[in-house]
Amino acid sequence: MAFFIASSPHAHSKRSTPDLMKWVAICALPGLVAQTYFFGWGTIIQLIFAVMVAMALEALVMVSRKRHPLFALRDNSAIVTAWLLAVAIPPLSPWWVIVIGLIFAIIIAKHLYGGIGQNLFNPAMVAYVVLLISFPVQMTSWIEPVQLSNDPISFVDAFSMIFTGFNSEGLSLQQIRTGIDGVTMATPLDSFKTALHSGSTVQEALAQPQFNGIAGIGWEWVNLAYLTGGLLLIKLRVINWHIPVSFLVGLIVSSGLFMLFTPGETASPLIHLLSGATMLGAFFIATDPVSASTTVKGRLIFGAFIGVMVFIIRSWGGFPDGVAFAVLLANMCVPLIDYYTKPRTYGH
């Protein structure tokens, strides 16, 4: 039998890389359903379009590298990258946002480093950060949950707004977000952060309509859905528990300590856990087998570092959510983490 030497990801499992990627997508379905239920059809449209663009880019790069396109397409990694980026951006973002993001994810963050197994950073998060810095208006234009809207956006209107910028009545996304009262909707994390910085108390911030007294209408259920899918990934042994558990513990401990010693100045652990991209990041992004730490102790440090950085960025950074930035910072530290957490050689 021939012995092939290949780069990571290596998994102690009989499953192949395509099979592992397939299960990641399957376990992300509960979160996708929850996002679609609370934020409309735009998420589904973005996902289908993103997968098509990602596969086309993957095939184009493989042809330019003089390799057969099926060699890369069959591992399903491009689909997972497209999936993660599609659910991370606002549902009604213009079509060119996903195209630019996937160009950075597939061509630069993945293939420029040699393809799957050799990229230093999570491709989807590289794309997200590039988009967030370059197009902050489009990347922060989240619409209000369907439950708070007097006129939910239909599938046809969502499709039209993504690809033309206007709905069937000629209204733009900004006009829809502003609404009749002239107040734009923001994500719960953004609203909470703005309220605290303007001098409001935690109770006053949570009294805003999009919170419902907990962590945000829609967002809490989306996070619980991704938590369900993430636990299934662990049960199926597609991922290990070390990174997601240490991620959540780091976030809970850091936010809990600051809430204890500086009450009323930061969000509670419950808000951090059930808002933004917490569960998506803990189970589906940080656990990327290529760009994450490879040792057991290293995974615990890697996950805890991301959790603490998410809290710091959310509390004092310039962006309401910090999962993407925290993951990329942790990716930079992986060589150092792995170096100092290497298991001892047998016999020494």
Side-chain angles (χ1 to χ4, degrees), residues 212-252:
N212 195 29
I214 307 177
I217 294 177
W219 294 94
E220 52 203 21
W221 290 106
V222 169
N223 274 279
L224 289 174
Y226 280 118
L227 172 62
T228 302
L231 293 176
L232 182 57
L233 283 177
I234 294 176
K235 181 175 178 58
L236 295 173
R237 296 187 178 181
V238 176
I239 63 173
N240 294 311
W241 61 268
H242 307 88
I243 292 176
V245 170
S246 59
F247 178 123
L248 298 178
V249 169
L251 183 58
I252 291 171

Side-chain angles (χ1 to χ4, degrees), residues 122-141:
N122 186 297
M125 293 302 95
V126 169
Y128 182 86
V129 168
V130 168
L131 292 173
L132 185 59
I133 294 174
S134 303
F135 311 105
V137 174
Q138 288 77 11
M139 290 297 291
T140 55
S141 296

Side-chain angles (χ1 to χ4, degrees), residues 156-179:
V156 174
D157 281 343
F159 186 89
S160 177
M161 294 192 67
I162 291 172
F163 292 100
T164 69
F166 301 92
N167 65 3
S168 58
E169 298 178 355
L171 297 176
S172 66
L173 175 59
Q174 187 61 28
Q175 290 173 315
I176 292 176
R177 291 183 69 238
T178 302

Side-chain angles (χ1 to χ4, degrees), residues 63-285:
V63 170
S64 67
R65 295 178 62 186
K66 298 181 180 180
R67 297 184 182 183
H68 199 284
L70 291 179
F71 180 79
L73 291 175
R74 66 188 181 187
D75 63 24
N76 296 329
S77 62
I79 294 177
V80 172
T81 298
W83 191 304
L84 294 176
L85 183 60
V87 299
I89 67 173
L92 299 181
S93 298
W95 62 270
W96 48 265
V97 168
I98 203 76
V99 173
I100 294 174
L102 288 172
I103 288 174
F104 274 90
I106 301 296
I107 298 179
I108 297 177
K110 180 180 177 181
H111 282 286
L112 195 62
Y113 287 95
I116 185 173
Q118 301 182 61
N119 49 286
L120 302 179
F121 304 99
N122 186 297
M125 293 302 95
V126 169
Y128 182 86
V129 168
V130 168
L131 292 173
L132 185 59
I133 294 174
S134 303
F135 311 105
V137 174
Q138 288 77 11
M139 290 297 291
T140 55
S141 296
W142 285 88
I143 59 174
E144 62 186 0
V146 174
Q147 288 69 20
L148 293 178
S149 175
N150 295 324
D151 187 19
I153 299 174
S154 66
F155 179 88
V156 174
D157 281 343
F159 186 89
S160 177
M161 294 192 67
I162 291 172
F163 292 100
T164 69
F166 301 92
N167 65 3
S168 58
E169 298 178 355
L171 297 176
S172 66
L173 175 59
Q174 187 61 28
Q175 290 173 315
I176 292 176
R177 291 183 69 238
T178 302
I180 299 175
D181 58 0
V183 179
T184 58
M185 292 295 297
T187 61
L189 282 173
D190 196 7
S191 297
F192 187 89
K193 190 174 185 177
T194 302
L196 290 184
H197 288 178
S198 63
S200 300
T201 64
V202 172
Q203 290 72 22
E204 290 172 341
L206 293 177
Q208 299 180 71
Q210 66 263 42
F211 274 101
N212 195 29
I214 307 177
I217 294 177
W219 294 94
E220 52 203 21
W221 290 106
V222 169
N223 274 279
L224 289 174
Y226 280 118
L227 172 62
T228 302
L231 293 176
L232 182 57
L233 283 177
I234 294 176
K235 181 175 178 58
L236 295 173
R237 296 187 178 181
V238 176
I239 63 173
N240 294 311
W241 61 268
H242 307 88
I243 292 176
V245 170
S246 59
F247 178 123
L248 298 178
V249 169
L251 183 58
I252 291 171
V253 171
S254 55
S255 59
L257 287 175
F258 272 87
M259 188 182 70
L260 180 65
F261 292 106
T262 58
E265 296 184 12
T266 58
S268 68
L270 183 62
I271 294 176
H272 280 291
L273 288 176
L274 298 180
S275 292
T278 299
M279 297 302 172
L280 176 66
F283 291 95
F284 294 90
I285 296 174

